[in-house]
Amino acid sequence: MSDESTQSGSLEHSIRALGGLWDTTRGMTVLRDAGYTPNEKHVRRTYRRLAEAGLLTKVQDRPVQYRVESGAV
C-alpha cells in the first residue's frame, strides 16, 4: 500500500487510540504493522500536520518527539 493520505489517516488513528509519546521510529513501526511501506519524511510531515491541528505537541527536537495532547484524544 502506498496511498499517503491513507497512511496519514492510519497513523492519526493510531496516535489517537494509543496516546503517549511519538517519535519517527514509533510511527514507522505502526505503519509497517498496518501493511504500509512508510518513509521517515512522510511520518515527520504527518506529525507536523497533527501538531498544527492541536493533536500533538513537540517536546524534543533531536531526535524529534511529540506528545499527544490530553484533551485531543
Side-chain angles (χ1 to χ4, degrees), residues 8-57:
S8 294
S10 180
L11 184 55
E12 180 177 352
H13 175 76
S14 295
I15 290 168
R16 288 181 184 278
L18 300 172
L21 293 174
W22 288 80
D23 59 10
T24 306
T25 302
R26 186 175 184 192
M28 300 265 302
T29 300
V30 164
L31 288 175
R32 271 193 223 105
D33 289 350
Y36 295 102
T37 307
N39 67 48
E40 289 183 20
K41 188 175 184 177
H42 175 71
V43 171
R44 290 191 308 266
R45 185 173 45 240
T46 301
Y47 287 164
R48 284 191 300 270
R49 181 182 59 79
L50 294 174
E52 289 173 3
L55 177 62
L56 297 173
T57 299

